[in-house]
Structures are given as structure tokens and as C-alpha cells.
């Protein structure tokens, strides 16, 4: 289905496979799955935010077509794979709910000569990719991931975590400016494309409350074709930039018309965690036998604060680590901020930052966002800063992550991935974005200052109304926390 704003759909349901169990409808945060029980469901692409939770929960798959000959069964399967633009040698079942693939497009482009092939990886990938190769949930493998990407043909292996550090510099400065000089409050994060699309459809009158920052993925993309191009002495036109993401909405974000600078797309293509795993297997790479290799400098060096963007509350925690020190000129006494860490739902807190009583909220799962947004519309929300993530545990539970059939395994995976993310942060030598030496160098040599002219041109964006919005649909959503915290 084509949307009224001419956006190509990302999420699909095969009507020949769907049994109408409506498990997908049960996890859709925006009511975009339509159909009667027992009948094939459809996706209302005008309402869908492309989070992919329906793909994760779908358990109905094509049989081996036992009523057909082996040759006929192979032909029928190959036809479906081609319709979904999936690699022909994928061996897993074909589920009724699925998302659009980009792997064939990327592998074809990788064979083009005369280009610098660059890849970036989101923080959630390094704690989930190994699961596709039989390792325990949450196994941390950044080094093997970097090694695999080089063997797939990439010339530079960069990290979206670097972009997360840049985001904190820009978004933190933007928040401080709004609080101290005036501006729409509360300010919402803008890292999650499903959340941004949700706001554009459901609450277009509140778009000025979103941070103007591009997501970390798009920031790295913009820097790859400017700062990175200068360092490599290569023309931006000769750079092919790929992002590996846990999210099924990232290709939509990548394709937004405004996500370009000076005529060049920030990011050329996006692959999910599962697509990367398929590709590694397709090439016969023994992932678990790979050596640990480093990411390339400078756009591959990151702080612990950049790492925790992969979990709910991570953006908020990273922002407080930097914002506290920028506002007070004092060292933050404790870097582990447990009051913003948690599970699906809403968490709120008041944080003493010097003389400012900073009121913050963290939302995990878009179905919980209605409550706060209705209050903002009514002028009854006095928070300063709100983080919103579309998926229940943040990016580690994204629609493009390894598919787990049992709810018990899903919960175990979420806990293990989150623990691994926080452990990676705790083990980092640098745990605050503004102390990352490569971030300091970026601003000294290229950007100048946060929210400056160059940053505004490359790293900030605009959002657009995609629907008429609607009246209050506030759902019951409990809040956790609502406590006062002093960081002294």
C-alpha cells in the first residue's frame, strides 16, 4: 500500500500465508494492522511506523509444500524469495510478516569499481549478531564484526557510536539553550525514526518540540562524505556508504528527501542485523573463528556514552553525563545513572543539575507515548527533556534483530543484550561523549562548535506533517520513578 505522503511501505504481510491470528496486531503500537480474526491481515501504511515488532512476533510460515514435488516446491519458494528481494540461498522459513530487504542491492553495488566502500554499525549489533552464529544471547563481538565487514569488502569500518557521541554534543547543547534561553519544552529526542514518524503522523502540532538533530546514523553518514572524504582525499560522489542497523525503519529514514548534504545522500543503504548475518553466511565466512579487529579512526572511535544509545534510557543517561558537566563545570560524581535505566513503559525523574531541577522522562514503546504527548498538547507537561524509543527495550529489541520465536527467549535476549551494552560502557576508558578525543578533534578541525554553522548544515534536519493528527487517544501507561535525584 502506498501512503498519502508517497512513502514506500517497509512492512508487509503475505496474504497467502497469514492465518489471521492477530498476534501482530497485539504488538503494533499504532493500530496499523487491520483485518478480522481468522482472515489475512493488512498493513495500513499511512499509520505504520515501520518498527517491525509485527515481523518479530509472526510465527506463521510457509510449509515445505508437501503437496508439491521437490522441484515445484523449490520453484514456489524461489518465487517468494524473489518477490521479497531476499537472497536465493536463505534457508530459514518464510514468515507471513516480513520487511523489505536491501541485501541484493548492496551486494550488487559492492561490485562497482572505483568507489570507497564505507560501513557503520549501530551499538545494538555488536551484542546480537553472534546469536545468529549459535553464541549465547548478548555475546559482545565488536572485533569479530569489524573483521567480518572487512572480509565482505568494506574499505573503512566506522561506528554509529561515534555519531551518538556527536549527537550528545549537538542535542545536549540544544537542550541547554532551550532551557536557559527559551524554546519549546519539553524537548524530545529525535534518534528513533519510528518515533519521529509517529510524531509526524499522530502529533504534527508538536514537531517543534523534537530536537532538530539527525540520528547518529545520519550524522555519521553526513560526516563520512565531508570530514571523512577530506581525510581520505576522495570525492563524496565516489563513496558508497552503508549502515548496519537493528531497525526496520532505518531505510525509511535513510530515504527521507532531507537526509542529504550538498547533493549527496548521507547514507546510501541500510542493512539489518539479520541481513548482515545472511551475508556473512552466504560468503562462507566463519564468524566465530575471526580475529578481533579495531574499527577505523577517526569515525570509529567512541565513548561508553555512545554505546548505551542501544538501550532504553541510554540517550538520556549519555545526555546527563555531558549536560551536567557543561552546565556546572563540575565532574559528575557517578556515571551509572540507574534512575533512567529500566524496562518498557515510562520512567520519570527530577535531577538536580547545579541550580536547575531538571525534569526528565524516558518512554520505551510507542504505545506509552500517547499519555505524555496528550499532556504536552494540553500544556500540562512540565518536563524539560523526554527520550522516546519505539521498541520495547530500545534498539536491542528492534525489528531487524535476530528473530526469536519464544517469548521466554525474547526476554532472556533483551536482558542479556542490555547487560552486555552496559558492561561494554563500564569497561570503556572514556565514558562521556565530550571527553572522546576524536570528538574534540572533530570540532577543532572541522565543525567548530555545537550548533554552529557547519553543524547546522550537516547534522540537523526538519520534520514534516504526515497526517492530520488526532484527538487524545491516551492509553493507560504506568510511570516508574517520579523521584528526585541529586548528582552530587
Amino acid at each position: 500500500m502506498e501512503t498519502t505522503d508517497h512513502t514506500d511501505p517497509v512492512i508487509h504481510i503475505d496474504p497467502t500465508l497469514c492465518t489471521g491470528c492477530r498476534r501482530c496486531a497485539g504488538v503494533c503500537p499504532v493500530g496499523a494492522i487491520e483485518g478480522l480474526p481468522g482472515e489475512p491481515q493488512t498493513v495500513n501504511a499511512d499509520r505504520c511506523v515501520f518498527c517491525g515488532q509485527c515481523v518479530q512476533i509472526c510465527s506463521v510460515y510457509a510449509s515445505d509444500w508437501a503437496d508439491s514435488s521437490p522441484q515445484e516446491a523449490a520453484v514456489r519458494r524461489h518465487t517468494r524469495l524473489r518477490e521479497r528481494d531476499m537472497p536465493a540461498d536463505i534457508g530459514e522459513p518464510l514468515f507471513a510478516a516480513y520487511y523489505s530487504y536491501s541485501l541484493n542491492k548492496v551486494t550488487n553495488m559492492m561490485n562497482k569499481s572505483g568507489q570507497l566502500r564505507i560501513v557503520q554499525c549501530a551499538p545494538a549489533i555488536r551484542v546480537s549478531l553472534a546469536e545468529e552464529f549459535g553464541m549465547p544471547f548478548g555475546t559482545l563481538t565488536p572485533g569479530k564484526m569489524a573483521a567480518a565487514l572487512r572480509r565482505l569488502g568494506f574499505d573503512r569500518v566506522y561506528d554509529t557510536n561515534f555519531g551518538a557521541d556527536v549527537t550528545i554534543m549537538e542535542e545536549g547543547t540544544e537542550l541547554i539553550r532551550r532551557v536557559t534561553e527559551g524554546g519549546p519544552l519539553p524537548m524530545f529526542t529525535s534518534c528513533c525514526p519510528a518515533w519521529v514518524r509517529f510524531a509526524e503522523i499522530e502529533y504534527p502540532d508538536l514537531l517543534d518540540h523534537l530536537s532538530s538533530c539527525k540520528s547518529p546514523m545520519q550524522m555519521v553518514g553526513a560526516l563520512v562524505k565531508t570530514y571523512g572524504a577530506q581525510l581520505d582525499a576522495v570525492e563524496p560522489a565516489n563513496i558508497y556508504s552503508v549502515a548496519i542497523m537493528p531497525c526496520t525503519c532505518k531505510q525509511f529514514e535513510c530515504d527521507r528527501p532531507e537526509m542529504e548534504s550538498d547533493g549527496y545522500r548521507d547514507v546510501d543503504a541500510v542493512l539489518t542485523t539479520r541481513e548482515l548475518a545472511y551475508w556473512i553466511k552466504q560468503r562462507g565466512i566463519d564468524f566465530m573463528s575471526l580475529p578481533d579487529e579495531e574499527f577505523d579512526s577517526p569515525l570509529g572511535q567512541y565513548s561508553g556514552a555512545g554505546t548505551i544509545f542501544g538501550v532504553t534510557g541510554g540517550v538520556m543517561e549519555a545526555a546527563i553525563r555531558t549536560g551536567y558537566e557543561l552546565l556546572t563545570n563540575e565532574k559528575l560524581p557517578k556515571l551509572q545513572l540507574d534512575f533512567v535505566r529500566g524496562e518498557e513503559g515510562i520512567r520519570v525523574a527530577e535531577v538536580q543539575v547545579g541550580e536547575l531541577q531538571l525534569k526528565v522522562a524516558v518512554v520505551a514503546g510507542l504505545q506509552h507515548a500517547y499519555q505524555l504527548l496528550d499532556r504536552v498538547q494540553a500544556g500540562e507537561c512540565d518536563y524539560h527533556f523526554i527520550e522516546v524509543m519505539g521498541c520495547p527495550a530500545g534498539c536491542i529489541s528492534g525489528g531487524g534483530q535476530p528473530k526469536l520465536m519464544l517469548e521466554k527467549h525474547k526476554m532472556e535476549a533483551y536482558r542479556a543484550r542490555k547487560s552486555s551494552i552496559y558492561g561494554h560502557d563500564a569497561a570503556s576508558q572514556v565514558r562521556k561523549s565530550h571527553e572522546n578525543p576524536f570528538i574534540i578533534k572533530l570540532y577543532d578541525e572541522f565543525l567548530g562548535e555545537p550548533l554552529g554553522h557547519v553543524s547546522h548544515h550537516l547534522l540537523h534536519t526538519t520534520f514534516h506533517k504526515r497526517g492530520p493528527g488526532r484527538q487524545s487517544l491516551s492509553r493507560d501507561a504506568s510511570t516508574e520513578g517520579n523521584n528526585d535525584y541529586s548528582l552530587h
Side-chain angles (χ1 to χ4, degrees):
M1 176 187 290
E2 186 182 34
T3 66
T4 54
D5 65 349
H6 307 292
T7 297
D8 290 331
V10 173
I11 305 298
H12 314 269
I13 297 177
D14 188 332
T16 68
L17 296 178
C18 180
T19 62
C21 71
R22 288 189 56 80
R23 294 182 71 204
C24 53
V27 298
C28 179
V30 294
I33 308 293
E34 300 175 347
L36 296 173
E39 297 183 3
Q41 306 295 292
T42 59
V43 179
N44 183 332
D46 288 326
R47 297 180 65 181
C48 181
V49 294
F50 311 144
C51 68
Q53 292 305 302
C54 56
V55 175
Q56 284 288 327
I57 203 169
C58 181
S59 58
V60 178
Y61 58 89
S63 69
D64 292 329
W65 294 289
D67 59 336
S68 306
S69 69
Q71 293 80 8
E72 290 173 335
V75 169
R76 292 170 71 178
R77 179 178 173 84
H78 181 73
T79 299
R80 271 209 173 87
L81 287 169
R82 186 173 63 250
E83 290 171 349
R84 299 180 180 202
D85 201 25
M86 296 172 70
D89 54 356
I90 285 181
E92 72 171 34
L94 298 181
F95 292 89
Y98 64 99
Y99 55 82
S100 300
Y101 278 64
S102 299
L103 182 53
N104 288 333
K105 178 179 73 173
V106 170
T107 54
N108 289 337
M109 283 297 298
M110 290 290 285
N111 294 322
K112 183 179 178 182
S113 61
Q115 61 184 358
L116 187 68
R117 306 170 187 88
I118 293 177
V119 66
Q120 59 169 299
C121 300
I125 311 297
R126 71 209 66 206
V127 298
S128 58
L129 180 61
E131 296 169 17
E132 293 279 6
F133 300 92
M135 294 299 288
F137 296 141
T139 300
L140 179 68
T141 56
K144 293 184 186 302
M145 181 174 68
L149 290 165
R150 290 196 177 94
R151 283 149 183 79
L152 290 172
F154 288 103
D155 302 301
R156 300 284 183 275
V157 179
Y158 289 146
D159 206 312
T160 315
N161 291 9
F162 180 88
D165 281 336
V166 179
T167 298
I168 290 302
M169 299 302 296
E170 296 293 321
E171 194 171 70
T173 304
E174 183 181 8
L175 174 64
I176 291 171
R177 185 170 295 180
R178 291 197 192 193
V179 171
T180 59
E181 300 179 12
L185 292 173
M187 188 180 87
F188 289 90
T189 57
S190 55
C191 302
C192 173
W195 147 241
V196 169
R197 180 170 166 81
F198 172 87
E200 291 178 323
I201 294 171
E202 305 285 2
Y203 294 90
D205 56 316
L206 298 181
L207 292 178
D208 61 341
H209 286 264
L210 271 65
S211 165
S212 64
C213 286
K214 292 180 179 178
S215 73
M217 178 186 86
Q218 296 297 145
M219 286 194 180
V220 170
L223 290 170
V224 157
K225 294 188 179 182
T226 52
Y227 182 58
Q230 290 179 14
L231 295 177
D232 281 314
V234 62
E235 289 296 321
N238 295 328
I239 292 176
Y240 184 60
S241 177
V242 178
I244 314 296
M245 294 287 131
C247 175
T248 48
C249 192
K250 281 294 183 179
Q251 186 63 54
F252 161 75
E253 178 186 47
C254 168
D255 291 339
R256 291 177 66 112
E258 62 270 18
M259 292 300 176
E260 66 176 26
S261 303
D262 300 324
Y264 300 106
R265 302 301 301 168
D266 292 341
V267 176
D268 295 302
V270 177
L271 298 178
T272 64
T273 313
R274 293 173 69 196
E275 287 179 277
L276 175 58
Y278 295 151
W279 193 7
I280 292 170
K281 294 172 184 176
Q282 188 181 58
R283 290 286 296 273
I285 296 170
D286 185 352
F287 182 80
M288 298 316 300
S289 296
L290 290 172
D292 288 337
E293 296 181 2
E294 297 294 325
F295 290 82
D296 290 306
S297 293
L299 303 182
Q301 306 304 315
Y302 55 90
S303 74
T307 296
I308 60 176
F309 265 56
V311 294
T312 173
V315 180
M316 181 65 68
E317 183 168 349
I320 291 174
R321 289 182 189 180
T322 286
Y324 177 91
E325 298 194 0
L326 293 181
L327 275 171
T328 66
N329 292 316
E330 298 175 0
K331 290 291 183 182
L332 185 65
K334 182 181 179 182
L335 295 182
Q336 181 173 321
L337 307 180
D338 292 326
F339 56 87
V340 295
R341 299 183 180 188
E343 310 296 334
E344 182 178 2
I346 300 175
R347 300 181 297 284
V348 300
E350 295 187 15
V351 187
Q352 193 64 43
V353 182
E355 297 181 357
L356 173 66
Q357 188 81 356
L358 185 69
K359 297 182 179 182
V360 301
V362 174
V363 182
L366 287 177
Q367 67 270 31
H368 304 291
Y370 290 97
Q371 183 186 48
L372 281 178
L373 290 164
D374 288 346
R375 290 174 57 193
V376 174
Q377 276 188 329
E380 299 171 354
C381 186
D382 61 352
Y383 296 113
H384 297 99
F385 190 35
I386 300 176
E387 173 197 313
V388 183
M389 290 292 177
C391 294
C395 303
I396 58 170
S397 58
Q401 290 282 68
K403 186 177 175 76
L404 299 168
M405 300 301 295
L406 298 180
E407 188 68 19
K408 178 180 73 171
H409 291 164
K410 193 177 295 184
M411 293 301 103
E412 289 174 0
Y414 292 174
R415 285 193 294 268
R417 293 170 190 168
K418 181 168 66 172
S419 176
S420 191
I421 286 269
Y422 284 133
H424 194 35
D425 163 45
S428 300
Q429 290 186 340
V430 178
R431 298 184 63 191
K432 291 173 279 190
S433 298
H434 62 288
E435 293 183 352
N436 180 346
F438 293 91
I439 292 294
I440 295 171
K441 185 177 181 181
L442 170 69
Y443 279 94
D444 286 345
E445 293 183 348
F446 184 69
L447 291 178
E449 62 179 358
L451 300 187
H453 175 73
V454 178
S455 293
H456 180 77
H457 175 63
L458 294 177
L459 308 180
H460 293 257
T461 189
T462 55
F463 307 108
H464 307 285
K465 178 179 181 179
R466 295 179 184 274
R470 51 187 179 178
Q471 298 301 313
S472 173
L473 289 176
S474 182
R475 307 180 181 188
D476 292 336
S478 61
T479 58
E480 302 174 13
N482 200 22
N483 296 311
D484 294 348
Y485 294 90
S486 173
L487 299 182
H488 290 288

